[in-house]
Amino acid sequence: MSNVLIIYYTQSGQLKEIIDKTTLALRESPTVHLTTYKIEMEEEFPFPWDFYSFFDAFPTSFLQKPKTIQSIPDEIINQKYDMILLYYQVWFLSPSIPINSFLKSEQAKKIMDQTPVITISGTRNMWFMAQEKMKVLLQSLNAKLVGNIALVDHTPNLISAMTIVNWMFSGVKQRMFNLLPLPGISENTIKESERFGEIILTSIQNKNYDNLQTNLVQAGAVKVKNFLVSVDKKGNKMFKIWSKIIENKQGKERRKYLKLFYYYLILAIWIISPIVNLIYIVFYPFNYFKYKKQVKYFQGIK
């Protein structure tokens, strides 16, 4: 019997849907015992978000500063696992505050030490640099990253930005203007993720993870758009500047800078991002081999 631990945090419930599909094969297997742990914060984040709470989370999230989580049950801390499935979201181009807070806790060191880990992210579309940060966190815990799955919203960048914001601030998953696609990862994408669970189950049963990521990639677990990688990298550079400016501001001054950051985001999404896309298209032939290498890198786990 293989002991498998599922770790996750969700507000809207979308990540729980992904868990249910990607672990279906494991739940139906008599050779696997699943344990689920949902991270709970001492001070929970609101859902739906209000304007100030959402942007106030930006510096803490991007700078990966941990907050206090509720106590992890002893039965989880004291168990040894053959595999950990770590499900996470991306907040402001970094792993979410709850996931980051768990991974920087003392208990996480004991749980994850020398344990094979598969990361499964559910994001709008930019997960690349957040996964790089995740690799660093896992390495600090002596965890063994053996696989990665990145599920994303496949609608065009500007449309997905509009629909996801509407969902986050209304709390209702609905078609914006009764016209645009539903926000978040599509039901079809989530349903099709069942196949990844079958691949994971085979590796667990064989106790061999050497070809796990290769098999996941071949099944479509990680799709890389070089344009979005470019936006993600540039966004990280700008977010670093903004987060440092806002980090220690308080009261009215903090609110002022958060509002300025909001205006910057509008500019970045609606003006800078399309320009970056145009530059990417124009120079694509000259960067073909670079982009090909980049795709291979982000599809990997090293």
Side-chain angles (χ1 to χ4, degrees), residues 208-225:
N208 187 333
Y209 310 112
D210 293 343
N211 297 315
L212 174 59
Q213 186 61 17
T214 299
N215 294 334
L216 287 172
V217 170
Q218 289 176 349
V222 183
K223 296 182 179 178
V224 178
K225 292 184 177 180

Side-chain angles (χ1 to χ4, degrees), residues 1-4 23-34 82 201 204-205:
M1 180 71 70
S2 297
N3 286 321
V4 177
T23 62
L24 181 62
L26 278 68
R27 284 186 279 118
E28 292 179 343
S29 172
T31 64
V32 174
H33 178 262
L34 281 177
D82 300 288
L201 176 61
I204 292 173
Q205 291 173 332

Side-chain angles (χ1 to χ4, degrees), residues 18 25 43 51 85 88 92 100 104 120 127 134 179 187 195 206 246 256 273 285:
I18 293 171
E43 185 178 346
F51 181 89
L85 303 179
Y88 77 98
F92 296 104
N100 183 67
K104 290 190 173 182
I120 303 100
W127 55 269
M134 179 63 75
L179 176 65
E187 291 182 7
R195 64 187 185 274
N206 295 336
I246 299 171
K256 180 183 73 174
S273 177

Side-chain angles (χ1 to χ4, degrees), residues 77-94:
I77 297 174
N78 297 326
Q79 179 64 265
K80 181 61 182 174
Y81 298 99
D82 300 288
M83 167 70 70
I84 292 176
L85 303 179
L86 180 59
Y87 292 80
Y88 77 98
Q89 302 148 317
V90 174
W91 291 8
F92 296 104
L93 307 183
S94 293

Side-chain angles (χ1 to χ4, degrees), residues 10-15 17 46-49 89 122-124 153 160-176 181-186 190:
T10 186
Q11 290 176 298
S12 67
Q14 178 177 257
L15 211 56
E17 293 178 31
F47 189 81
W49 290 87
Q89 302 148 317
T123 65
R124 186 172 75 86
D153 181 350
S160 69
M162 292 170 59
T163 58
I164 202 71
V165 167
N166 183 63
W167 186 16
M168 286 189 298
F169 288 106
S170 70
V172 181
K173 191 173 184 177
Q174 60 187 351
R175 292 182 182 276
M176 196 173 179
L182 282 171
I185 300 164
S186 71
I190 294 174

Side-chain angles (χ1 to χ4, degrees), residues 28-293:
E28 292 179 343
S29 172
T31 64
V32 174
H33 178 262
L34 281 177
T35 301
T36 301
Y37 164 58
K38 180 184 178 183
I39 299 166
E40 303 282 354
M41 304 299 297
E42 281 290 340
E43 185 178 346
E44 276 295 349
F45 294 96
F47 189 81
W49 290 87
D50 61 85
F51 181 89
Y52 180 75
S53 296
F54 179 76
F55 286 100
D56 189 52
F58 159 62
T60 302
S61 180
F62 182 78
L63 295 173
Q64 295 182 268
K65 292 192 170 185
K67 285 184 162 295
T68 306
I69 62 173
Q70 293 185 19
S71 298
I72 304 170
D74 289 339
E75 56 267 27
I76 290 178
I77 297 174
N78 297 326
Q79 179 64 265
K80 181 61 182 174
Y81 298 99
D82 300 288
M83 167 70 70
I84 292 176
L85 303 179
L86 180 59
Y87 292 80
Y88 77 98
Q89 302 148 317
V90 174
W91 291 8
F92 296 104
L93 307 183
S94 293
S96 72
I97 292 173
I99 286 291
N100 183 67
S101 300
F102 165 75
L103 292 175
K104 290 190 173 182
S105 69
E106 287 299 317
Q107 296 93 331
K109 292 181 180 179
K110 185 173 182 180
I111 294 170
M112 307 191 76
D113 183 48
Q114 297 299 316
T115 305
V117 176
I118 298 174
T119 49
I120 303 100
S121 58
T123 65
R124 186 172 75 86
N125 56 22
M126 282 186 283
W127 55 269
F128 313 101
M129 302 312 295
Q131 181 66 10
E132 292 298 286
K133 298 170 189 178
M134 179 63 75
K135 291 176 185 177
V136 174
L137 289 168
L138 293 177
Q139 189 176 45
S140 71
L141 297 171
N142 292 321
K144 302 175 181 177
L145 181 62
V146 297
N148 178 50
I149 299 169
L151 299 181
V152 300
D153 181 350
H154 292 292
T155 56
N157 186 42
L158 296 181
I159 292 177
S160 69
M162 292 170 59
T163 58
I164 202 71
V165 167
N166 183 63
W167 186 16
M168 286 189 298
F169 288 106
S170 70
V172 181
K173 191 173 184 177
Q174 60 187 351
R175 292 182 182 276
M176 196 173 179
F177 311 128
N178 290 321
L179 176 65
L180 299 180
L182 282 171
I185 300 164
S186 71
E187 291 182 7
N188 190 53
T189 297
I190 294 174
K191 184 178 185 303
E192 289 180 347
S193 68
E194 286 181 11
R195 64 187 185 274
F196 305 136
E198 296 168 1
I199 295 171
I200 293 169
L201 176 61
T202 300
S203 289
I204 292 173
Q205 291 173 332
N206 295 336
K207 297 187 183 301
N208 187 333
Y209 310 112
D210 293 343
N211 297 315
L212 174 59
Q213 186 61 17
T214 299
N215 294 334
L216 287 172
V217 170
Q218 289 176 349
V222 183
K223 296 182 179 178
V224 178
K225 292 184 177 180
N226 284 297
F227 155 63
L228 291 175
V229 175
S230 179
V231 174
D232 199 344
K233 289 180 177 179
K234 290 177 173 60
N236 266 266
K237 291 178 181 179
M238 293 306 300
F239 277 23
K240 184 176 181 179
I241 296 171
W242 276 103
S243 60
K244 289 292 186 181
I245 292 173
I246 299 171
E247 180 185 9
N248 296 316
K249 298 289 189 297
Q250 300 294 329
K252 290 183 178 180
E253 188 179 19
R254 185 178 180 89
R255 288 178 177 271
K256 180 183 73 174
Y257 278 98
L258 288 174
K259 185 170 284 189
L260 289 173
F261 175 66
Y262 163 72
Y263 292 135
Y264 159 74
L265 275 184
I266 297 296
L267 179 70
I269 292 170
W270 290 98
I271 298 178
I272 298 176
S273 177
I275 292 173
V276 171
N277 191 20
L278 179 60
I279 293 172
Y280 165 77
I281 293 170
V282 171
F283 288 96
Y284 178 84
F286 305 100
N287 294 309
Y288 174 79
F289 292 105
K290 171 189 170 183
Y291 290 147
K292 190 174 181 180
K293 185 177 180 180

